[in-house]
Amino acid sequence: MVADKKDVELKSTSKLDQLPQPPSQSPQISCDRSHHNYDLCAITGPTVLDSTTSILFLVDSSTSTPPSIVEKIRPYPRKWEKFMMNRIKELTITSSPESPKCEVQHHVPALVFSVGGYTGNFWHEFNDGFIPLFITVNSIFPDQDFVLVISKARDWWVNKYADLLQTFSKYPIVKLDDDNTTHCFPSATLGLISHGFMTIDPALMPNSETFTHFRAFLDKAYGNGRIHPILKRNSPMARPRLVLPSRKALTHSLFLRSGSVFVQVVPLGLEWVAEVCFAKSARAMGLNYMEYKINAEESSLVEKYDRNELLIKDPDKKDLELKSTSNWTPLQSPKERQISCDRSHHSYDLCAINGPTILPPHNLYFLPCGSLHSSPPSFAEKIRPYPRKWENFTMKKIKELTITSTPQTPRCEVQHNVPALVFSAGGYNGNFWHDFNDGLIPLFITVNSVFPDQDFVLVITEARDAWVTKYADLLQTFSKHRIINLNNDNATHCFTSAALGLISHGFMSINPALMPTSKTFTHFRAFLDKAYGLGQRNYPSKHKSPAARPRLVLASRKGSLGRVILNQAKVKRVAEEVGFDVIVFKPTPRTPFQEAYAVVNSSHVMVGVHGAALTHSLFLRPGSVLVQVVPLGLEGLGEMCFGKSARAMGLEYMEYKINAGESSLVEKYDKNELLIRDPTAFRGKNWSDAIMAIYLKEQNVKFELFRFKEYLKQVYKKAKRFMDKEG
């Protein structure tokens, strides 16, 4: 994205009249929001940073700054990309005289910015981070010391770029998310200046710095580093040295010396991306830039598409369709991509409308307002917003939604001043484990990735009334706004923007490395406590009374679905003999969620055979014990469905793997058959319907009581330790 022509006219004199300036005589707060790529704010006077609240205070507000003025900024230079900016933490600047007491005094200004967004992508770390940081430092703080104050600076990121960061500033970094101290600075600047994709425009720089100066800055940071052993072995060079990088590594071309040769291999349809991402910066560094553009025969696309299709024959004319099947969102301008879809993930697709959005009644399509001027007429994307993309059989049952840019938009009837988050509650709806794995956990991930600290409306398709009623408390904890159920809503709704789809990190998983807010499964467990913890007062049964003995919840199964405990009464008696107070828990679809939460949350141990009811283990407190009884042939499922999440919540996870004599399958099959003797070998690598029917639906459990009693003694020790620790 190149700078606006107006910017060039305003700043071609290099006086930077429009940028926040260093402290002057009158302390004040000022923000420049005139740029396409970024906002920039300045506190030109004594500044207090309260790290715990992400608020910066102007200490001595003068007559030029009204009392209690408030400015807000997301200091990341992709302002045009609303979908991404919603993930950047918002900082507050205020001139309120009631600032917190200073704990650490810095005698140099602060430069505050975020490395959220696309952190982890090497190209974006330079395009959205270090190049704008270089521009900003040389524009605001030329030949001046300052402290870097960084939001979303994870430890691995700081360690990776330690040498480069120290070359920018000799002072220790203030990591805004991990710091609990109140810092004081003589002034502060918030935000990073960007000149466009991989660009430094010398006409906009006060000292006319170019990309060559940035390359020299990298040399200053890394040029004196250790020599790689391969260079020691091969020097001096008798022949020219060629580096053949693997994919995702082309940004390392920034490390080439001026005059060296850079060859970019350009796949079909990516000519513009190649120019924007690497060619422009290569020429600016003085490299001999060359392109090897592959032909149709060299592309794997010819194995999937007919070579006479426009997609192969003329990718430029097929551009719109290509964009709908690839992850182009980060590289499209907002004018081209008010509608954007990321289809690069195995489990899910994610689409966004980055602007005012209309949802007509009785129609599964969304319309960005004013789209005639921002997207081609009749441009359309389709999505099934359910995170089991790999499972074609299930995805065919999910209603397909359409996002279209047709200019014939209906009149708005209900105006929402917040975005919409749209997803499906179809699929395996009604299966308790799937309700969490395919729905509520991905919803938690998506909310904390796309809408952290932001209001939104839940728009749900295929949400049955029973499902909405069952999870009402949890859904209201996600959003205070009334749910829009697409199955029975009759109004035309308008939103400020919309995200469609749910992000999944895998089976019963939350990967903090993929979360902009670094949330973990422990945070999800705390979220459940927020939704249901207060509701326990409505169920003041004996289950809430102080326990004289460790309390064990025995999850009971019944019916023809398999995995029933055939000698359950005797198992209960054995557990009581070991020393447990035993509650037989028989959840049904009508069991109030708060009641289930109260029973499980007040217990010290949960024991159950692998099955959906064991999902109630999410209600156990960290430190309590989960014992999963694993029938024959279900070892892998046991770990995937419950073992992983239990450990992530801080539970004491244990498995009781039954032997052949404890399985009802020995009554139907010979114990010497491979099916009994070695289930792993019998199953092979694939789960067929027939195999699932055998191990999941035909199999019940009859415990060998002496063996199980000895196992429960180990469980008792852990549970008693947890109970005593509670006091």
Side-chain angles (χ1 to χ4, degrees), residues 104 162 180 272 274 304 331 353 384 454 473 488 572 619 642 663 693 723:
V104 179
N180 297 316
W272 179 80
K304 188 174 181 180
L331 299 179
I353 304 175
R384 299 180 193 269
Q454 186 180 358
D473 292 326
N488 52 31
K572 179 178 183 292
F619 301 160
F642 302 109
S663 172
M723 186 179 77

Side-chain angles (χ1 to χ4, degrees), residues 668-707:
K668 188 173 183 180
Y669 302 93
D670 190 289
K671 63 180 65 179
N672 293 316
E673 285 190 42
L674 197 62
L675 181 151
I676 302 290
R677 187 165 43 88
D678 192 344
T680 303
F682 175 76
R683 288 196 329 256
K685 295 182 179 180
N686 299 312
W687 270 96
S688 68
D689 291 341
I691 291 174
M692 286 186 69
I694 293 172
Y695 288 118
L696 288 173
K697 297 181 180 179
E698 293 184 16
Q699 182 174 201
N700 294 316
V701 176
K702 187 174 183 180
F703 287 100
E704 293 179 2
L705 295 179
F706 178 79
R707 177 175 181 247

Side-chain angles (χ1 to χ4, degrees), residues 100-175:
K101 184 179 179 180
C102 180
E103 294 175 317
V104 179
Q105 179 66 58
H106 302 271
H107 298 288
V108 295
L111 176 55
V112 187
F113 63 97
S114 173
V115 292
Y118 295 107
T119 300
N121 178 298
F122 192 43
W123 184 84
H124 281 284
E125 283 170 351
F126 276 84
N127 181 73
D128 305 336
F130 292 115
I131 295 172
L133 179 57
F134 180 84
I135 293 170
T136 308
V137 167
N138 284 278
S139 298
I140 307 296
F141 301 115
D143 304 319
Q144 186 182 359
D145 285 341
F146 55 91
V147 174
L148 293 171
V149 179
I150 311 179
S151 172
K152 302 302 178 189
R154 299 170 187 167
D155 290 340
W156 67 264
W157 183 89
V158 173
N159 292 334
K160 179 177 181 178
Y161 294 111
D163 293 329
L164 189 55
L165 293 168
Q166 289 170 10
T167 308
F168 276 113
S169 172
K170 65 183 179 183
Y171 295 96
I173 294 167
V174 177
K175 294 165 62 179

Side-chain angles (χ1 to χ4, degrees), residues 527-565:
F527 187 79
L528 295 179
D529 206 46
K530 182 180 178 182
Y532 298 113
L534 295 177
Q536 293 188 66
R537 67 183 61 167
N538 298 323
Y539 297 92
S541 65
K542 63 179 182 179
H543 308 319
K544 281 200 65 185
S545 60
R549 307 197 300 172
R551 184 172 293 139
L552 183 150
V553 172
L554 181 61
S556 176
R557 291 177 63 88
K558 63 179 181 179
S560 59
L561 295 178
R563 290 158 284 147
V564 174
I565 300 175

Side-chain angles (χ1 to χ4, degrees), residues 588-610:
T588 69
R590 295 184 178 181
T591 300
F593 233 46
Q594 290 181 348
E595 180 181 356
Y597 187 92
V599 172
V600 176
N601 185 255
S602 64
S603 301
H604 305 95
V605 183
M606 185 174 190
V607 177
V609 181
H610 174 85

Side-chain angles (χ1 to χ4, degrees), residues 514-536:
L514 301 178
M515 298 285 284
T517 49
S518 300
K519 291 284 196 296
T520 65
F521 217 99
T522 304
H523 292 93
F524 177 70
R525 172 61 185 77
F527 187 79
L528 295 179
D529 206 46
K530 182 180 178 182
Y532 298 113
L534 295 177
Q536 293 188 66

Side-chain angles (χ1 to χ4, degrees), residues 279-346:
K280 187 166 57 172
S281 58
R283 298 188 192 97
M285 286 194 299
L287 304 184
N288 283 307
Y289 176 73
M290 302 175 68
E291 286 185 348
Y292 179 84
K293 296 182 180 180
I294 72 169
N295 59 35
E297 300 303 322
E298 295 173 290
S299 172
S300 64
L301 293 178
V302 294
E303 300 171 6
K304 188 174 181 180
Y305 303 95
D306 190 289
R307 69 192 60 197
N308 292 318
E309 286 191 38
L310 204 59
L311 182 147
I312 302 291
K313 193 169 53 172
D314 193 341
D316 288 339
K317 291 184 179 178
K318 197 65 173 176
D319 197 27
L320 291 179
E321 291 186 24
L322 278 174
K323 289 174 186 176
S324 68
T325 56
S326 61
N327 185 14
W328 276 55
T329 305
L331 299 179
Q332 300 301 304
S333 74
K335 292 182 179 179
E336 291 174 321
R337 301 299 290 158
Q338 188 177 4
I339 298 172
S340 58
C341 288
D342 178 359
R343 304 187 188 277
S344 65
H345 305 277
H346 175 69

